[in-house]
Amino acid sequence: MGKILVTGGAGYIGSHTCLLLLEAGYDVLVLDNLANASLEALRRVEALAGKSITFVEGDIRDQALLRRVFTEHAIESVIHFAGLKAVGESVSMPMAYYDNNVVGTLRLCEVMAEAACKNIVFSSSATVYGDPDAVPIPETAALRTTNPYGQTKLVIEQILRDIAVADSEWRIALLRYFNPIGAHPSGRIGENPNGIPNNLMPFVTQVAVGKRPQLSVYGDDYNTPDGTGVRDYIHVMDLAAGHLAALRHLAAQAPCEAYNLGTGKGYSVLDVVHAFERVNKAVVPYQVVDRRPGDIAACYADATKAAEVLGWQAKFGIEDMVRDSWAWQSANPEGY
Ligand code: NAD
Ligand code: WQD
């Protein structure tokens, strides 16, 4: 099987995807600048798979480096995870986000075109749906967003659609992830946020492990069954499998296609907390506080297209997600 360039492959979703790629027999080359990752993640992926990864430390904006990678390796396809992803930080550092995410993707695509490697699977996000008109959200829903991070995803999607119009040899999958949580069931790899977690699940696991006193639940006055925000949590191993399904289907699809990767089910903040406590026999003290600015009430996928077209469906449920998040956090209280 061919060689896959995985940008951002040392990160949370990238590391889990690398493991499945190795297990499926692909050659994996990771390019990562380690801005938000540790090499230890890749060492553990190699140990789990019993196979090695070619690692290049560097930035997707470094075209000289990218050219060297494409010259020295016969790259068949690219899975493009590299990017900055913190919504709040993107509001205070918009230039860094546009440069890293948008300019970085453009630089990558330019070198891919030079090398005649025109297959790319891109990490988009449900954030491109903004505050949706209705749930579940199909891929055909209106695209809009509320923050610079989301704007970078919208702009990158548009750039990729335009590239596919100009040159129909490209095969581009825009994977719109819902809310990835969980970890590899071994507990050896998982999400390792820097500083105070922005996202719900790493915050919950850090409270459960005693690193933080309590969870702040951001609002219980939303128009949802229990008043707390509802999201489509998806196990990171299912998400990783979605990348392999998209990769395998690239040749058979139109030049550019978008796919939702979610379970199609919505869980509230309190559903997640209670599932976590029940499954892991742990205690997660919480306090309801004000809404977090920019949050929406409910967001979950219509995941029909990925099932029908890619033959991919999430297999894991919320119990698996909270169990595996805890397996990772409890075995690695300080992360990598
Ligand atoms: P992550 O931060 O763990 O992984 C991103 C990786 O990219 C990191 O290893 C980082 O070091 C690397 N990186 C960043 N900028 C780079 C650059 N310029 N050059 C080379 N490497 C660079 O994040 P993740 O959760 O694994 O997310 C992966 C992708 O999926 C991102 O594009 C993110 O926006 C997208 N996404 C994530 C979520 C989520 O909730 N985790 C949801 C939707 C979409
Ligand atoms: C989930 C729910 C919060 C933390 C973000 C990005 C999105 C995507 C995924 C990249 C919400 C509540 C959270 C806490 C809480 N990332 N919450 N207390 O906001 O759905 O999506 O990550 O593309 O673009 O916006 O995820 O995990 O932050 O929040 O009550 O300490 O948990 O209000 O209802 P979100 P999240």
Side-chain angles (χ1 to χ4, degrees), residues 122-144:
F122 171 63
S123 299
S124 188
S125 167
T127 193
V128 300
Y129 299 120
D131 192 352
D133 295 324
V135 283
I137 311 171
E139 288 83 353
T140 49
L143 302 182
R144 56 171 94 101

Side-chain angles (χ1 to χ4, degrees), residues 178-181 232-243 245 260-265 267 301-308 310-318 320-321:
F178 281 68
N179 287 56
I181 60 170
D232 186 337
Y233 297 96
I234 173 170
H235 197 296
V236 68
M237 295 305 298
D238 275 330
L239 190 58
H243 289 72
N260 285 340
L261 295 186
T263 65
K265 294 192 189 73
Y267 290 97
D302 177 338
T304 318
K305 182 177 174 184
E308 288 180 357
L310 302 179
W312 170 90
Q313 238 176 321
K315 293 194 185 79
F316 297 110
I318 194 72
D320 304 302
M321 300 183 217

Side-chain angles (χ1 to χ4, degrees), residues 35-36 86 89 191-199 202-203 205-207 211-212 329 333-335:
N36 192 37
E89 187 183 65
E191 185 170 12
N192 187 30
N194 267 328
I196 302 172
N198 299 304
N199 297 112
F203 208 105
T205 60
Q206 290 196 5
V207 170
K211 284 180 83 170
R212 311 203 178 268
Q329 178 77 73
E334 301 305 323

